[in-house]
Amino acid sequence: MRLTPACVVISKWGQKLDNLWAWIDGFADGGGEHAALFVELRKIIGWLPALIEASWITLALTVTSVVTALVFSVFLALGKIARVQSQRTKSIGQLVTRGITTAIRWISSGYVFFFRGTPLLMQLFFIYFTLPLINPVFNIKSRFAAAWIAFSLNIAAYLAEIIRAAIQSIPKGQLEAARAVGLSYMQSMRLIVLPQAYKRMIPPVCNEFIMVLKDSSLVSIIALTDLTYKTTMLASNKASSLVYLPAMAIYLVMTAFFTVIFNRAEKKLGGYE
Amino acid sequence: MSMIRCEKCNKYFGSLHVLQDVDLTVEQGEVVCVIGPSGAGKSTLLRSLNQLEPLYSGKILIDDELLLHCEKGVIVESASRRDRKRLLLEMGMVFQSFNLFPHKTALDNVMLAQQIVRGTNTETAREIAMNLLVKVGLEEKADSYPLRLSGGQQQRVAIARALAMQPRMMLFDEPTSALDPELVGDVLRVMKDLAHGGMTMLVVTHEMGFAREVASRVIFMADGCIAEDNTPAELFDHPQNPRTQQFLTSIL
Ligand SMILES: Nc1ncnc2c1ncn2[C@@H]1O[C@H](COP(=O)(O)OP(=O)(O)O)[C@@H](O)[C@H]1O
Ligand SMILES: [Mg+2]
């Protein structure tokens, strides 16, 4: 009984869609003044299912890469700003700690320098084509996995800088107050500084996310069937460049969707202000 | 028994000699007010005491136990890691700019460290926190976020937050300097209550009325040195050091 209304709604919509098709067909085949336009429109709608299917790859690659990179980049950011908090002593233990801390700082900085300073395209090539040549162990069969690894590594470098800037924008007094009530450095970071920094990260992370969504089109170079790859295939096969229009529209829809999500998250996290 | 003792403490910021052979003792139950011109090193003294700033040289003893002994910027002798943590927790600190955690409610601000540092369970921590909020007159603001409170209310929450760790002495760094004049009274009242309750206090302040009324001793600091150390009546009415005289005339 409960399902009936839903079915009715769907069949109603189905009917309306059929009507729409009939309407477009009428114009396209009617040979009227604008018939050519409707022929194109019919083609565009015809491409949509294939484009939408390919956009799932784009979406999946973007989301998994950004999420992986987010986790990794928090550590990179903390690594970049790592300092031994306590005052210098004569103990060997502290000397070792200082050495390790300096090493962590250098490695983190070096990582960010490398992955921000070289083209993502080359990093992708390197991981997919060159690494297997160096050692077969690195032969990543799945194009998606290769793209995911390259993107995650690259995005992490950018996100690390965003996170570092957000952490450093939190007033020093917050860390001092946390330390004054006895919290350790890591506890202060986790409970006091990072939660406040998250809100400030959201606009730049959103920006980065949208860049990645579009940069993911680079994967067409390793023949991963994302939205861009599918679009270029269709464009060459059917000799109609108009396929770029629905493809760009899908990019816009995805961008708009995530912009809204990020805006909501920012409002929610900033509830205390 | 002395709660706080600094011996020959020195501190530099670059080439600036901010603390110059500072000797200071605060006995249990004493309220010591520190006055002096801006840049004298008052904040630095407090911040060095609880290790927010590294010391260059000198000794700090808390509750007659050695916290640390520095020479040339290096700790040459100190309490064990655990003892150091315990001794540092005996000092509560209140900052000029409150530094409440803005993403936590007033109650959570007071509960947080108890739970994390002392491992107190939620119910006990909440009870302690509520009692302290009652004590500073803010029980009805328990669920408010700091940015929705006035400066005076924020500072009182900050005092409650420091007291929640059950310190045996409190350091105040110009607790009322960032407040609108009409809000200063509420904060000073809470501090007076604390002093009358027997809390050992080291207070950097420009509130001469408070110093005169509550302090057992007043210290005048200038250019990184303790220039004069006396009872409030003596120091305010018969300042010995010309710098003190000059300072007192300038603020009146
Ligand atoms: N982090 C710092 N770096 C460099 N100089 C500082 C720093 N903090 C304070 N100073 C300087 O040290 C001196 C003493 O500062 P402070 O202890 O804040 O003085 P007060 O609290 O008595 O006004 C001032 O000249 C100040 O400019
Ligand atoms: Mg100061």
Side-chain angles (χ1 to χ4, degrees):
Chain A
M1 284 303 276
R2 275 181 157 192
L3 287 175
T4 325
C7 292
V8 169
V9 168
I10 288 170
S11 75
K12 258 190 183 166
W13 273 100
Q15 217 163 21
K16 277 189 185 163
L17 219 57
D18 284 346
N19 290 345
L20 187 68
W21 273 116
W23 188 70
I24 293 173
D25 279 343
F27 277 101
D29 305 331
E33 199 183 340
H34 299 297
L37 198 70
F38 281 92
V39 170
E40 292 301 330
L41 185 62
R42 195 162 56 178
K43 270 202 258 174
I44 288 177
I45 294 174
W47 289 322
L48 279 179
L51 291 179
I52 289 174
E53 200 190 332
S55 60
W56 283 111
I57 296 287
T58 297
L59 200 62
L61 179 65
T62 306
V63 172
T64 53
S65 304
V66 171
V67 169
T68 314
L70 260 180
V71 176
F72 183 28
S73 58
V74 172
F75 292 98
L76 276 177
L78 289 175
K80 272 196 82 168
I81 58 173
R83 296 278 184 286
V84 172
Q85 298 296 313
S86 49
Q87 191 174 351
R88 198 174 281 274
T89 65
K90 287 196 296 190
S91 80
I92 301 289
Q94 204 202 35
L95 203 69
V96 173
T97 315
R98 274 179 200 279
I100 293 173
T101 310
T102 309
I104 288 175
R105 205 163 59 233
W106 275 88
I107 292 169
S108 310
S109 306
Y111 179 95
V112 172
F113 178 67
F114 177 80
F115 279 94
R116 280 206 314 176
T118 53
L120 172 56
L121 191 57
M122 281 198 197
Q123 293 162 15
L124 183 60
F125 268 149
F126 191 84
I127 286 174
Y128 189 65
F129 295 119
T130 315
L131 278 187
L133 299 180
I134 296 173
N135 189 332
V137 172
F138 298 122
N139 192 353
I140 304 159
K141 299 258 166 33
S142 146
R143 297 171 204 277
F144 185 86
W148 169 64
I149 292 171
F151 274 70
S152 299
L153 293 176
N154 180 274
I155 301 162
Y158 286 91
L159 292 182
E161 282 302 282
I162 291 173
I163 294 173
R164 183 190 55 78
I167 289 175
Q168 289 180 336
S169 76
I170 303 300
K172 246 179 94 210
Q174 289 291 307
L175 192 58
E176 291 181 350
R179 306 278 283 157
V181 286
L183 268 60
S184 71
Y185 177 77
M186 276 320 240
Q187 287 169 337
S188 312
M189 275 292 164
R190 184 164 58 82
L191 297 165
I192 306 302
V193 178
L194 282 175
Q196 294 179 58
Y198 287 143
K199 182 187 139 65
R200 301 191 184 187
M201 287 173 209
I202 285 180
V205 168
C206 176
N207 205 29
E208 178 66 20
F209 189 95
I210 288 168
M211 303 267 276
V212 173
L213 192 70
K214 292 174 299 169
D215 284 352
S216 66
S217 61
L218 287 177
V219 297
S220 51
I221 217 82
I222 59 168
L224 178 61
T225 319
D226 78 321
L227 181 50
T228 298
Y229 189 70
K230 191 80 201 175
T231 309
T232 49
M233 296 296 288
L234 287 173
S236 61
N237 281 353
K238 306 216 172 164
S240 167
S241 339
L242 273 188
V243 68
Y244 290 114
L245 290 180
M248 287 193 283
I250 292 176
Y251 274 114
L252 280 177
V253 167
M254 291 194 285
T255 309
F257 175 73
F258 283 102
T259 308
V260 169
I261 299 267
F262 276 101
N263 282 344
R264 289 225 176 133
E266 191 186 359
K267 286 220 180 73
K268 194 150 200 182
L269 279 178
Y272 56 83
E273 274 173 358
Chain B
M1 197 173 86
S2 57
M3 291 301 264
I4 302 173
R5 191 150 89 232
C6 309
E7 290 175 10
K8 292 232 170 304
C9 285
N10 283 280
K11 163 88 191 161
Y12 293 84
F13 282 121
S15 59
L16 186 69
H17 199 170
V18 194
L19 297 179
Q20 305 182 13
D21 277 337
V22 171
D23 285 309
L24 168 71
T25 307
V26 181
E27 302 295 334
Q28 181 166 22
E30 260 191 324
V31 176
V32 176
C33 285
V34 183
I35 61 170
S38 169
K42 308 179 297 293
S43 301
T44 307
L45 175 63
L46 255 55
R47 294 164 55 80
S48 303
L49 279 175
N50 72 352
Q51 284 279 280
L52 289 177
E53 294 285 354
L55 207 57
Y56 179 75
S57 69
K59 273 187 196 176
I60 296 174
L61 292 90
I62 300 297
D63 207 1
D64 279 334
E65 284 182 62
L66 181 76
L67 176 66
L68 47 88
H69 176 190
C70 297
E71 271 170 22
K72 299 206 163 91
V74 176
I75 299 177
V76 291
E77 197 186 349
S78 82
S80 71
R81 186 189 272 268
R82 261 182 63 203
D83 284 341
R84 198 150 63 173
K85 190 168 171 183
R86 174 175 58 80
L87 291 175
L88 286 174
L89 279 177
E90 294 197 359
M91 279 182 283
M93 175 102 179
V94 175
F95 301 86
Q96 180 175 350
S97 49
F98 330 132
N99 297 345
L100 286 181
F101 309 134
H103 59 306
K104 302 271 179 198
T105 61
L107 185 67
D108 285 337
N109 263 276
V110 186
M111 285 173 64
L112 180 96
Q114 298 182 60
Q115 292 177 277
I116 304 297
V117 180
R118 297 238 193 256
T120 314
N121 67 42
T122 313
E123 286 87 78
T124 317
R126 173 171 290 125
E127 199 182 316
I128 294 175
M130 273 319 284
N131 284 340
L132 285 168
L133 286 178
V134 170
K135 193 166 160 180
V136 299
L138 286 174
E139 68 271 31
E140 79 281 11
K141 297 289 184 188
D143 294 321
S144 302
Y145 284 98
L147 296 177
R148 305 218 193 290
L149 300 177
S150 74
Q153 292 169 333
Q154 288 189 50
Q155 192 60 299
R156 284 183 281 153
V157 174
I159 294 174
R161 176 178 66 179
L163 290 174
M165 299 311 284
Q166 293 164 340
R168 298 180 57 209
M169 64 208 87
M170 289 281 285
L171 313 179
F172 293 84
D173 189 3
E174 302 198 26
T176 57
S177 295
L179 300 180
D180 294 335
E182 76 271 19
L183 302 175
V184 169
D186 290 335
V187 173
L188 290 183
R189 204 165 307 123
V190 169
M191 291 170 63
K192 270 179 215 169
D193 286 347
L194 259 183
H196 292 144
M199 177 66 80
T200 308
M201 289 161 62
L202 183 58
V203 187
V204 176
T205 185
H206 292 298
E207 295 293 328
M208 299 304 155
F210 174 84
R212 192 185 274 272
E213 185 188 335
V214 182
S216 13
R217 265 162 59 211
V218 178
I219 284 171
F220 173 73
M221 249 186 112
D223 294 333
C225 301
I226 293 182
E228 194 160 350
D229 178 351
N230 217 327
T231 61
E234 279 298 309
L235 190 131
F236 286 124
D237 298 333
H238 309 288
Q240 303 297 312
N241 190 308
R243 300 277 323 249
T244 321
Q245 292 163 2
Q246 194 191 340
F247 175 73
L248 288 175
T249 338
S250 74
I251 57 162
L252 290 178

